[in-house]
Amino acid sequence: MKKKRMRGVLAAAFAFALAGAFALAGCSGTEQAAEEPQQPAQEQQSEPQEAVELQVFAANSLSKAMEEVQAAYIADGHESVSFTDTQYKSSGELNEMLGAGSYADLLISASKGSMDTAEEEGYTDAATRVDMFVNDLVIVAKEGSGLSDVALEDIADGTYTFCVGDESVPAGNYACQALSTVGVYVPGADEEGKTGKDISGKGGTFAEGYSPVLDTSVGNVCKHAQSGDVDVAFVYTSDVYRFGGVEIVGTVPGDTHKNIVYPGAVTSISEHPEETQEFLDWCLTSEKAQEIWQNWGFELA
């Protein structure tokens, strides 16, 4: 009987001790939970990016395509970026503007020579330079002109009146290089005896008997053909898409002039070099951008 009572006392004591342990553990856990700071239900949203305005200097022939590309860039998750009044001029004019103190973040030229000059003058950061596009030189006439298969030899024969860009216009330089191969354009003294892609297309004269209309931008050159001021004009393939009202009546052989390449580079005075580089990279890698360039007649280099 005593053994039974002893067992009962021990069991009760054990149960009481166990209950006390659980109570202490629960109390301790509650205090610990109260001491630990509560985690926020959601992580704080990242602060909005600072607004950046980029100034682009681009070759005149890029105007329509660049407007679409800039809009697509903003819509593609870059709402903090905007583009101020983008300047579309001949590559020579753009260099002159930079030389006169105009501000730009990005320069895109229509020729390697113009970008070489910008680099030599310190207008651009050479490390950021990249060849962006290639283009073709074509002969165009007013839409419905009835002309076809116009060749350089036809220009040399005096069959057609024609228009080319002046020395500040890369398309004009390419045209002069090509026309030198048929004797219409005569290189300067420092390039005597050379023709085609071996000359710059600057500093020379047109041979006796040839009086082309000269203009200060490839866009204006195209308009001369569009209006019928001249029979034909030398422009880029992209200009046919850009302006309309003209039709291609001949393609200038690629081996008669230097390769038509559009280099781009961040300027040396850019206040937003990282954002500018990001836009430049996007122009070359985004499928959206590539589609726009191609729609306007540009091929990625």
Side-chain angles (χ1 to χ4, degrees):
M1 189 69 175
K2 291 182 179 180
K3 290 183 179 179
K4 288 184 178 180
R5 286 180 180 177
M6 183 61 67
R7 289 175 183 171
V9 171
L10 290 174
F14 179 79
F16 181 82
L18 187 62
F22 277 120
L24 288 173
C27 181
S28 175
T30 303
E31 291 176 355
Q32 185 177 359
E35 291 175 358
E36 292 181 355
Q38 292 185 348
Q39 296 296 323
Q42 293 181 344
E43 292 292 335
Q44 290 186 347
Q45 293 183 350
S46 58
E47 295 183 4
Q49 292 183 336
E50 184 178 352
V52 172
E53 187 176 69
L54 300 181
Q55 172 71 66
V56 177
F57 278 13
N60 192 47
S61 52
L62 286 167
S63 61
K64 297 293 185 181
M66 180 60 74
E67 289 173 4
E68 286 192 21
V69 164
Q70 289 176 344
Y73 183 69
I74 295 172
D76 194 32
H78 302 90
E79 291 80 4
S80 63
V81 177
S82 62
F83 297 90
T84 189
D85 183 24
T86 300
Q87 295 296 303
Y88 301 106
K89 305 285 185 182
S90 69
S91 299
E93 286 182 281
L94 295 176
N95 279 348
E96 290 175 3
M97 290 170 66
L98 289 171
S102 295
Y103 177 83
D105 294 292
L106 175 64
L107 173 66
I108 304 177
S109 295
S111 77
K112 287 188 173 183
S114 295
M115 186 59 79
D116 289 343
T117 299
E119 197 172 299
E120 291 165 3
E121 295 295 332
Y123 304 151
T124 59
D125 178 356
T128 67
R129 177 172 174 171
V130 60
D131 288 341
M132 299 182 68
F133 320 109
V134 295
N135 215 328
D136 294 314
L137 190 67
V138 294
I139 302 172
V140 298
K142 182 178 181 179
E143 211 166 45
S145 67
L147 301 179
S148 63
D149 300 324
V150 176
L152 294 173
E153 289 74 16
D154 297 318
I155 306 297
D157 291 343
T159 304
Y160 305 109
T161 57
F162 65 101
C163 179
V164 298
D166 65 17
E167 288 194 359
S168 71
V169 182
N173 304 147
Y174 296 128
C176 288
Q177 292 164 13
L179 289 168
S180 71
T181 64
V182 290
V184 175
Y185 179 81
V186 181
D190 57 336
E191 296 178 326
E192 188 175 355
K194 299 178 181 179
T195 62
K197 59 178 62 180
D198 294 326
I199 67 171
S200 64
K202 300 179 180 180
T205 59
F206 286 90
E208 187 176 351
Y210 300 100
S211 301
V213 175
L214 302 177
D215 215 315
T216 57
S217 74
V218 69
N220 289 340
V221 171
C222 196
K223 290 176 182 177
H224 281 289
Q226 186 183 51
S227 66
D229 290 345
V230 295
D231 296 323
V232 297
F234 289 77
V235 299
Y236 299 128
T237 301
S238 56
D239 293 312
V240 180
Y241 294 88
R242 188 161 65 110
F243 293 107
V246 295
E247 57 188 4
I248 298 175
V249 296
T251 300
V252 180
D255 60 359
T256 64
H257 58 79
K258 297 182 187 296
N259 294 331
I260 301 174
V261 179
Y262 287 63
V266 179
T267 66
S268 57
I269 58 173
S270 175
E271 297 175 359
H272 312 288
E274 292 182 5
E275 292 86 353
T276 304
Q277 184 66 61
E278 184 177 355
F279 172 62
L280 180 58
D281 293 341
W282 186 90
C283 284
L284 300 177
T285 58
S286 166
E287 291 184 2
K288 295 179 181 178
Q290 292 177 35
E291 183 177 353
I292 294 172
W293 298 128
Q294 291 170 5
N295 286 342
W296 287 101
F298 295 96
E299 298 177 29
L300 289 180

